[in-house]
Amino acid sequence: DAGVTQSPTHLIKTRGQQVTLRCSPKSGHDTVSWYQQALGQGPQFIFQYYEEEERQRGNFPDRFSGHQFPNYSSELNVNALLLGDSALYLCASSLGPQGGDTQYFGPGTRLTVL
Amino acid sequence: AQKVTQAQTEISVVEKEDVTLDCVYETRDTTYYLFWYKQPPSGELVFLIRRNSFDEQNEISGRYSWNFQKSTSSFNFTITASQVVDSAVYFCALSERGGFKTIFGAGTRLFVKA
């Protein structure tokens, strides 16, 4: 049973560039959520996708956008990168979008913005 | 508003000691869900437990136990006879029935020394 997978593992970009991160959910899961985890902090909710639609968004600017594909995989796009966007980006999948559904996390993508 | 507080930033114990990680939460919803996750140095968040607000029964799983008390809005996690492999950052998290996002605490870093 494949767990949540993310690619790439690490990424280095410069300010102003754009980046795309990818996530494949756990087998049987249809909901994907994205989190940003800065060093020494807890994960912060970015947004959630269910049925190919963004269901809820956290306090993140429009530079952060996403997409969910018919096979439930998802992408996170960040435009006009800032130094402060350097973080571990975690993808989580669940069987359903409701608050009580347990989320299972992938290994994350470490983004460094220089 | 939702909030999760983990007041202990770091805890250091010697192997075989018992250790309790504290978690205090705030929510206006009467139906909510609490979670604990473990984040080892590899970075992947590992799900440990889910508890709904109507189930205050304490739970034990091997060396792990959880104490949920609605009266004090706490959901504490105890590791009995700690081992070096327990060294990680532990996160307490909260989600509400009507919401889609999960709110994480800042985490408690546990060091278990041999």
Side-chain angles (χ1 to χ4, degrees):
Chain A
D1 181 22
V4 180
T5 60
Q6 292 186 242
S7 63
T9 306
H10 294 86
L11 207 51
I12 299 175
K13 292 286 188 178
T14 57
R15 283 177 295 176
Q17 286 190 311
Q18 178 265 343
V19 67
T20 297
L21 311 181
R22 296 176 176 81
C23 171
S24 291
K26 184 178 170 67
S27 179
H29 286 185
D30 58 7
T31 302
V32 172
S33 300
W34 286 93
Y35 292 81
Q36 180 194 67
Q37 186 179 18
L39 202 60
Q41 298 182 20
Q44 300 292 315
F45 175 78
I46 302 175
F47 42 53
Q48 183 187 79
Y49 277 87
Y50 173 67
E51 294 185 336
E52 301 181 48
E53 290 187 4
E54 182 183 295
R55 294 287 166 161
Q56 189 174 24
R57 170 180 281 265
N59 293 326
F60 282 82
D62 292 344
R63 298 187 298 109
F64 289 77
S65 63
H67 187 76
Q68 185 178 36
F69 299 94
N71 67 352
Y72 308 122
S73 67
S74 177
E75 289 183 347
L76 164 64
N77 301 292
V78 186
N79 294 323
L81 284 168
L82 303 174
L83 295 179
D85 294 332
S86 295
L88 179 67
Y89 288 85
L90 295 163
C91 169
S93 73
S94 56
L95 186 62
Q98 297 306 315
D101 296 319
T102 298
Q103 296 182 322
Y104 294 87
F105 285 79
T109 294
R110 174 75 61 187
L111 172 64
T112 301
V113 182
L114 302 177
Chain B
Q2 297 173 277
K3 186 178 180 181
V4 176
T5 302
Q6 295 180 257
Q8 305 151 308
T9 305
E10 290 187 359
I11 300 176
S12 183
V13 299
V14 176
E15 206 170 21
K16 298 184 183 178
E17 283 187 25
D18 298 347
V19 58
T20 296
L21 309 182
D22 297 333
C23 173
V24 174
Y25 61 91
E26 293 177 30
T27 177
R28 294 176 183 163
D29 209 339
T30 56
T31 302
Y32 52 90
Y33 305 85
L34 297 164
F35 304 84
W36 276 95
Y37 286 87
K38 173 182 180 180
Q39 188 173 43
S42 62
E44 184 170 345
L45 280 165
V46 178
F47 166 73
L48 296 177
I49 190 172
R50 169 187 180 273
R51 174 70 72 216
N52 73 55
S53 54
F54 296 106
D55 183 3
E56 287 193 72
Q57 189 172 15
N58 291 333
E59 182 160 337
I60 297 174
S61 176
R63 296 184 297 105
Y64 295 170
S65 63
W66 290 269
N67 184 311
F68 176 29
Q69 291 193 337
K70 288 179 73 171
S71 60
T72 57
S73 297
S74 64
F75 186 42
N76 297 335
F77 172 31
T78 298
I79 302 174
T80 302
S82 60
Q83 300 176 1
V84 173
V85 294
D86 295 327
S87 297
V89 181
Y90 291 86
F91 291 96
C92 180
L94 164 72
S95 65
E96 295 171 343
R97 181 189 59 180
F100 302 101
K101 64 181 179 181
T102 300
I103 300 298
F104 286 79
T108 297
R109 183 177 296 277
L110 175 64
F111 294 98
V112 181
K113 296 177 286 188

